[in-house]
Amino acid sequence: MAELLDGKRIADEILGEVRSELLATEAAGRRPPGLAVVLVGGDPASLVYVGLKVKKCAEIGFHSERYDMPESTTTEELLELIARLNAKHEIDGILVQLPLPKHIPEQRILDAIRPEKDIDGFHPINVGLLYLGQESHALTPCTPTGVIELLERSSVPIEGASAVVIGRSAIVGKPMASLLINRSATVTVCHSRTVDLPGVCRNADILVAAIGKPAFVTDAFIKPGATVVDVGINAVTDPSFVRTVFGEDEKRLAAIEKRGQTIVGDVHPRLAEPVAGRLTPVPGGVGPLTIAMLMKNTYKAYRLAL
Ligand code: GUN
């Protein structure tokens, strides 16, 4: 049976480290790091994520500013806000929650954030620095960087390992591949057109699933003993799907009844657990690490700005 990797514990460890560094800068009389979180429109999942991010800032002692803008916001209005935040001394990090409404061109907005304040690591300068292997002065995307922390702090060997990433998004798949290459893994990136996906995945010592399909990765994808990292956060509303994957999981079924949904990862845990060596649970795996890395990136931006 796979060992479950405790993302919450590792996230708390990272937050504790950021907190103790922060205490030292506070003692030196410096202002706290500041994060601005921008949400356009009312996407329910985004509302939850933005709420969690702002709450974590308060917990850890960061200054935070939240900007809720209506769905009808124009590109120019959003660019104007970003220009103000770019110039604002107390703000070290700017996060524009994605996805944006369809009428706003996402990349134009991301390009407008000063690279030094781009704590999401989505600006082309930071993407380029990561690609070039110059991570020390880059800001790198929170979720895949959190996966690296999880692997390293769980003593999973990366150097020389065969790593397969399922998914080629700019938020997870592509930066994940760069981070793994920079640590000398042999990396394959798979996607919807990959021929014999299970066969390719079965070569992986480290398998990272970031495709957004609930319980898609089964035992047929997993090399015995492999480390399987589940990045998926899929809202499942159908109780019969839950029963097929988890059996009579009362907690999940009750969640659908109460909140209309339960969160399921990209990995089928019941089929993966007997084969994998290590596995991240959903929830409680990669999720808490993403927020911890956002705090760590904001702190890094603050330090680089000093
Ligand atoms: N939407 C989903 N993931 C992310 C993320 O990491 N950053 C931002 N800004 N939006 C997201």
Side-chain angles (χ1 to χ4, degrees):
M1 276 309 243
E3 173 199 351
L4 290 182
L5 297 178
D6 188 347
K8 175 79 172 64
R9 184 186 58 76
I10 295 170
D12 286 343
E13 196 176 293
I14 293 166
L15 289 167
E17 289 164 11
V18 174
R19 177 82 196 129
S20 51
E21 286 192 46
L22 179 61
L23 287 175
T25 55
E26 270 175 4
R30 296 210 170 91
R31 68 166 176 87
L35 175 66
V37 182
V38 181
L39 175 64
V40 186
D43 175 68
S46 292
L47 274 165
V48 173
Y49 296 141
V50 163
L52 288 173
K53 288 166 186 177
V54 171
K55 187 166 155 243
K56 192 57 77 182
C57 282
E59 270 173 39
I60 203 171
F62 285 8
H63 166 70
S64 73
E65 297 177 9
R66 174 174 172 162
Y67 296 85
D68 284 275
M69 305 181 83
E71 181 84 20
S72 59
T73 301
T74 64
T75 301
E76 285 62 38
E77 284 166 338
L78 186 52
L79 287 172
E80 195 187 310
L81 172 62
I82 289 171
R84 268 200 288 131
L85 295 171
N86 277 339
K88 195 166 183 177
H89 180 62
E90 313 86 88
I91 292 299
D92 301 287
I94 302 169
L95 183 143
V96 178
Q97 186 66 29
L98 304 178
L100 286 168
K102 292 216 169 10
H103 65 276
I104 301 179
E106 213 154 83
Q107 197 59 48
R108 215 179 134 200
I109 300 303
L110 299 178
D111 290 357
I113 296 172
R114 265 180 65 188
E116 296 85 353
K117 296 193 177 190
D118 167 41
I119 38 66
D120 259 325
F122 296 160
H123 189 283
I125 291 279
N126 284 314
V127 174
L129 288 169
L130 169 60
Y131 192 82
L132 291 168
Q134 295 176 25
E135 288 179 30
S136 61
H137 48 288
L139 293 163
T140 59
C142 300
T143 299
T145 309
V147 171
I148 294 290
E149 293 270 2
L150 177 84
L151 294 172
E152 289 181 343
R153 290 173 191 247
S154 307
S155 304
V156 176
I158 301 177
E159 187 179 320
S162 163
V164 173
V165 180
I166 321 177
R168 54 177 156 176
S169 71
I171 294 184
V172 183
K174 285 179 185 169
M176 187 78 255
S178 290
L179 289 160
L180 288 163
I181 289 171
N182 292 348
R183 285 158 186 77
S184 301
T186 303
V187 181
T188 306
V189 180
C190 299
H191 45 74
S192 55
R193 309 290 165 85
T194 299
V195 173
D196 186 21
L197 181 60
V200 176
C201 292
R202 275 200 307 274
N203 284 321
D205 304 310
I206 300 168
L207 179 61
V208 181
I211 30 170
K213 290 187 183 172
F216 180 77
V217 174
T218 63
D219 48 338
F221 291 62
I222 300 170
K223 177 170 160 177
T227 298
V228 179
V229 180
D230 189 350
V231 180
I233 301 179
N234 307 294
V236 168
T237 55
D238 177 5
S240 68
F241 184 86
V242 166
R243 285 197 179 89
T244 315
V245 174
F246 299 95
E248 279 304 310
D249 185 325
E250 283 172 22
K251 242 171 109 180
R252 288 184 185 275
L253 291 168
I256 294 184
E257 196 137 299
K258 250 172 75 183
R259 293 188 285 278
Q261 63 175 51
T262 181
I263 300 300
V264 177
D266 288 345
V267 178
H268 193 307
R270 271 209 309 174
L271 298 178
E273 271 183 43
V275 189
R278 304 179 187 92
L279 175 65
T280 64
V282 176
V286 174
L289 277 162
T290 296
I291 293 201
M293 294 316 296
L294 178 65
M295 299 299 125
K296 190 167 171 174
N297 265 357
T298 303
Y299 192 76
K300 185 176 180 180
Y302 167 76
R303 293 293 307 179
L304 290 172
L306 282 181

